[in-house]
Amino acid sequence: MLASATDKELVQLSLIEKEAFGYIVDRYEAKLSRYIRRITRATEEDVADILQEVFIKAFVNLRGFDTSLPFSSWIYRITYNEVVSRHRKIVRRPEGNRQEFEDNDLSHLADSFSVEEEHDQSFTKEAISSLLDGLDIKYRQAIVLFYLEEKSYDEISDIMKKPPGTVATLLHRAKKKLKKLAQEHPALAYET
Amino acid sequence: MKPNTKDNIIDSIKKAECRPRWHFVLRNGIFWFFGVVTTLVGGVAIATSIFVMVNRETLPLKMVSGQSTAFLAIVPYIWIGLVVLFVTLGEISLRHTDKGYKYSLVKVLLAHVGVSLVLGLAFFAVKIGYHADQVASKTIPSYRAVAQQEIYNWFDPEAGFLVGAIIDRGGDQEFVLQDPEAKVWQVVLIANHKPSQRTTLNVDRVRMVGYVQGDNVFHACRIAPFVLRGGPKEVAFRHKEDMRRLKQVARIQTERMDEYLRTNGCDLAKETSVISN
């Protein structure tokens, strides 16, 4: 029964019965884990640490959750803040994982940035991954949330705590930077 | 996620406690409180800036520093700095409230500046600018209130500036005045005073431009009421100990003053001959 409850209902239940929070963990662990990998070069250990911290912070601050927002925006915000606070430490580690792209991700990004389709897909995945690595975290965050997590401007605004207009500007700049990086990248032919 | 990670999370949550609701309400309330307080203080700083600017006369400053730079001396830099500081602090506070991030910085800033300006004008109208200026002069050693500063600037009879209280209205062209050091002057109105200038004699405090004739006679070319807009009707002369002549007043350029007097129909030689006739 709890598996079909809405996020907000689970939040209310978790305040009464801590075990109910387990359903929230089940519901978001995969999404957040993938999101963390997409926006940062984190090792498995880092991802586990970040996730643990995110869920504990979410639980401790559960009464501060603004019910006028989607719960997903709120927990993505906590995750983003946690990633940013650990970002410097993580980027210094060259042994960190590149984010793993699925075919679906690639087609989203390829459509958005006109990457030629005839490239070998696994090679292009690596190239796109490397392009995203070249972006500042705030730009990468905007690109990942919009194109890969498929969040709306309003949701991204709530996650990044920036006005929707600023989100649009961030995305525009991120795309410009990404296109520029793509033009300079030897493995990618970019159509202007 | 590895199974033991989820277990760790659940274990940690079992030991953790949710923060109470009031913690978040208080946090949001504190940001709102600081946002409102800093906006109000910004309004007071704007009111005081207006008070300073509308009450500082540039004429004595023009005689010291020249026409083009005199306005720089009346700009209330400290108060304008405080306006910028408090508007910025208010902006930061309001942006940290629950929904503060949803609005664009420029729009919120413009709205904030607009509200602060309206508050500033309202505070100026109810004399809060004057009171802030007075409080600052009493609490900050190097700060001189507008009234004090104007008395300084306008109290240098030898240089051509005299300020004081009318103690006997006398005839149509002359009156008796007591300066801030309690010296009594016989003031003679010369040149072609406009009716509006004569009506200034209805007020008790006046400031004049002219020149000294003899020991205690002052020939006034230009006379204006000494009232503080956005302040009390009468300027209090209670700072006798502060009446020491300022260096800058002592540096008044006599050629500038002579030119001013001539252009205002107060040629010293001509007036002397008129008086002697």
Side-chain angles (χ1 to χ4, degrees):
Chain A
M1 190 187 105
L2 283 182
S4 61
T6 65
D7 287 348
K8 285 175 190 175
E9 286 167 346
L10 285 177
V11 167
Q12 291 306 316
L13 284 169
S14 304
L15 290 171
I16 302 161
E17 191 57 63
K18 287 179 179 179
E19 275 70 27
F21 196 78
Y23 286 90
I24 292 178
V25 176
D26 285 340
R27 198 170 282 183
Y28 281 97
E29 60 181 352
K31 286 180 192 173
L32 295 181
S33 170
R34 189 185 57 202
Y35 170 60
I36 293 164
R37 287 197 181 87
R38 280 170 169 168
I39 59 170
T40 192
R41 188 193 283 256
T43 61
E44 282 299 319
E45 206 177 315
D46 288 330
V47 174
D49 280 353
I50 292 171
L51 271 181
Q52 178 155 350
E53 201 56 37
V54 165
F55 283 116
I56 292 168
K57 279 187 179 166
F59 179 76
V60 169
N61 294 296
L62 214 51
R63 287 197 177 93
F65 165 55
D66 177 356
T67 49
S68 67
L69 298 180
F71 180 79
S72 69
S73 296
W74 188 69
I75 202 159
Y76 266 77
R77 182 196 292 172
I78 296 172
T79 310
Y80 172 65
N81 290 340
E82 193 59 32
V83 168
V84 168
S85 74
R86 293 174 182 231
H87 181 66
R88 281 187 189 162
K89 204 169 78 182
I90 292 169
V91 290
R92 277 196 222 110
R93 291 187 196 148
E95 74 276 16
N97 295 340
R98 286 188 189 282
Q99 61 268 52
E100 293 157 10
F101 288 97
E102 295 154 13
D103 291 346
N104 201 25
D105 298 342
L106 185 64
S107 68
H108 272 298
L109 279 175
D111 287 348
S112 310
F113 302 105
S114 314
V115 175
E116 285 184 356
E117 285 173 7
E118 61 266 28
H119 277 283
D120 172 62
Q121 278 220 329
S122 63
F123 185 72
T124 314
K125 277 181 196 174
E126 246 181 57
I128 288 179
S129 168
S130 136
L131 290 185
L132 282 176
D133 267 354
L135 288 179
D136 186 272
I137 180 115
K138 65 183 176 188
Y139 294 123
R140 183 198 296 211
Q141 157 92 342
I143 292 279
V144 166
L145 285 173
F146 189 73
Y147 290 106
L148 304 183
E149 302 291 331
E150 299 183 323
K151 301 283 183 192
S152 68
Y153 277 21
D154 278 343
E155 286 173 304
I156 300 174
S157 157
D158 292 330
I159 294 166
M160 297 181 78
K161 289 193 94 175
K162 290 185 189 302
T166 307
V167 170
T169 309
L170 260 180
L171 266 173
H172 178 71
R173 286 187 189 153
K175 278 161 72 176
K176 265 176 82 173
K177 283 178 188 288
L178 208 54
K179 282 176 185 177
K180 192 166 175 251
L181 288 171
Q183 281 171 330
E184 291 162 2
H185 199 287
L188 282 171
Y190 171 68
E191 289 173 350
T192 51
Chain B
M1 182 162 54
K2 291 172 188 171
N4 65 338
T5 309
K6 189 190 164 192
D7 294 342
N8 286 345
I9 293 169
I10 302 295
D11 283 347
S12 304
I13 283 165
K14 279 180 183 163
K15 288 175 212 153
E17 282 303 323
C18 287
R19 285 193 176 122
R21 178 78 189 136
W22 63 260
H23 171 93
F24 302 99
V25 174
L26 182 69
R27 183 185 173 279
N28 197 40
I30 286 171
F31 283 121
W32 270 108
F33 176 77
F34 277 110
V36 170
V37 166
T38 49
T39 305
L40 288 173
V41 178
V44 172
I46 289 176
T48 318
S49 303
I50 297 169
F51 175 76
V52 173
M53 284 193 283
V54 299
N55 286 302
R56 292 291 307 275
E57 274 272 350
T58 53
L59 184 60
L61 303 165
K62 281 177 187 166
M63 300 302 165
V64 176
S65 56
Q67 198 84 9
S68 58
T69 53
F71 77 95
L72 292 173
I74 67 161
V75 178
Y77 297 101
I78 295 169
W79 291 105
I80 289 175
L82 287 176
V83 170
V84 173
L85 175 71
F86 283 104
V87 166
T88 308
L89 289 176
E91 186 72 13
I92 292 168
S93 297
L94 293 174
R95 288 195 79 77
H96 278 84
T97 57
D98 276 352
K99 300 274 194 282
Y101 66 89
K102 279 192 176 283
Y103 306 97
S104 88
L105 180 69
V106 176
K107 280 182 191 164
V108 176
L109 191 64
L110 284 176
H112 198 174
V113 169
V115 169
S116 301
L117 275 174
V118 170
L119 274 176
L121 286 167
F123 288 167
F124 170 73
V126 296
K127 299 178 184 171
I128 288 177
Y130 163 75
H131 289 295
D133 183 58
Q134 289 291 306
V135 169
S137 76
K138 284 170 190 159
T139 51
I140 305 168
S142 57
Y143 185 90
R144 192 171 288 130
V146 169
Q148 285 173 278
Q149 186 65 53
E150 287 301 277
I151 292 168
Y152 267 127
N153 293 352
W154 283 82
F155 184 48
D156 192 357
E158 299 307 320
F161 293 101
L162 183 60
V163 62
I166 297 172
I167 52 172
D168 183 351
R169 292 181 192 282
D172 200 28
Q173 289 295 101
E174 57 186 58
F175 58 88
V176 180
L177 175 130
Q178 189 174 41
D179 74 19
E181 286 180 334
K183 181 178 177 180
V184 175
W185 294 83
Q186 188 72 30
V187 177
V188 180
L189 297 175
I190 56 170
N192 300 317
H193 285 282
K194 293 173 187 169
S196 62
Q197 285 186 309
R198 286 177 191 277
T199 60
T200 61
L201 294 179
N202 293 332
V203 299
D204 287 334
R205 305 281 192 268
V206 289
R207 46 187 160 190
M208 296 162 286
V209 186
Y211 52 87
V212 175
Q213 187 80 33
D215 261 358
N216 62 344
V217 178
F218 190 84
H219 290 251
C221 288
R222 188 192 142 193
I223 182 167
F226 188 13
V227 289
L228 296 175
R229 279 163 279 187
K233 283 184 181 168
E234 286 191 2
V235 180
F237 293 157
R238 59 187 174 208
H239 304 289
K240 287 186 183 175
E241 69 279 11
D242 291 339
M243 288 299 110
R244 306 284 172 263
R245 201 68 73 239
L246 277 180
K247 294 272 186 227
Q248 64 177 46
V249 176
R251 289 200 303 270
I252 282 178
Q253 302 294 308
T254 48
E255 60 274 19
R256 286 195 189 123
M257 182 51 98
D258 287 345
E259 191 190 337
Y260 176 84
L261 292 175
R262 267 198 307 280
T263 54
N264 281 274
C266 274
D267 188 296
L268 183 58
K270 185 180 156 197
E271 291 300 336
T272 309
S273 69
V274 169
I275 290 163
S276 61
N277 288 339

